Amino acid sequence: MNRKIRDMLNEYDIVLRYSSLLEDEGFYIPELNIIVVSSNLNEIEQLKVILHELTHAANDRKDAQLYERIETLRQSMECEANKFMVSGMLDEYMNEADLEPYEVNYTDFLAGSELEPSYDTLVIKLLKQKIMGTSF
């Protein structure tokens, strides 16, 4: 498990558990402050789920009831969770490959990280921000 994930789990006092019995890839239970991830997923898929659910745990736990009731809010929360997931995957990719942002081939990153090609625009934006030293 990477340091960023460990730090966030500790900072927000989130419990991370794995289960082979899940029908979904994973989910966050705000009442228990726990993230459950399918142990049937490969390592890359588990990382994606953990990063996505960490965003919900860090940002959305107070709005959990609204998440279920208001579709536009749910979509916004999912969008933010996906942005954080892609950003975390990109950081992990650059760290493991010892690459600077300007050295990253975004199509290789998307393929190697098992991310949908539809994330290409977001990845390009993230790389530009990293090169310019800004954040989104």
Side-chain angles (χ1 to χ4, degrees):
M1 178 181 318
N2 74 30
R3 187 171 153 241
K4 182 177 187 175
I5 291 174
R6 264 195 319 273
D7 290 349
M8 284 189 72
L9 290 170
N10 288 333
E11 179 180 346
Y12 294 100
D13 199 28
I14 301 164
V15 176
L16 176 63
R17 293 287 182 253
Y18 297 87
S19 173
S20 61
L21 305 175
L22 295 183
E23 292 180 20
D24 295 325
E25 293 179 341
F27 51 86
Y28 171 63
I29 306 170
E31 299 82 9
L32 302 174
N33 206 27
I34 186 170
I35 294 172
V36 183
V37 178
S38 173
S39 58
N40 299 322
L41 300 173
N42 67 40
E43 190 175 324
I44 292 172
E45 290 295 323
Q46 285 181 354
L47 178 60
K48 289 175 6 185
V49 171
I50 292 167
L51 288 166
H52 178 96
E53 297 304 329
L54 271 172
T55 306
H56 290 305
N59 297 338
D60 305 333
R61 70 172 109 190
K62 293 178 234 161
D63 297 325
Q65 290 180 350
L66 295 176
Y67 175 93
E68 298 296 329
R69 294 184 182 149
I70 302 172
E71 181 64 21
T72 53
L73 181 60
R74 185 186 73 74
Q75 289 176 358
S76 175
M77 290 174 172
E78 287 300 320
C79 183
E80 286 303 311
N82 286 334
K83 284 181 186 177
F84 183 79
M85 177 268 296
V86 171
S87 179
M89 295 293 293
L90 183 57
D91 289 344
E92 184 77 8
Y93 178 82
M94 291 188 326
N95 286 338
E96 285 183 7
D98 195 28
L99 295 172
E100 294 296 323
Y102 61 87
E103 298 174 302
V104 174
N105 179 315
Y106 76 91
T107 55
D108 289 346
F109 162 69
L110 289 168
S113 299
E114 300 177 20
L115 291 168
E116 296 293 322
S118 60
Y119 285 117
D120 62 347
T121 304
L122 175 59
V123 172
I124 291 167
K125 181 179 178 182
L126 289 169
L127 288 169
K128 285 180 181 178
Q129 289 170 342
K130 289 177 183 302
I131 291 168
M132 300 301 287
T134 61
S135 62
F136 70 98

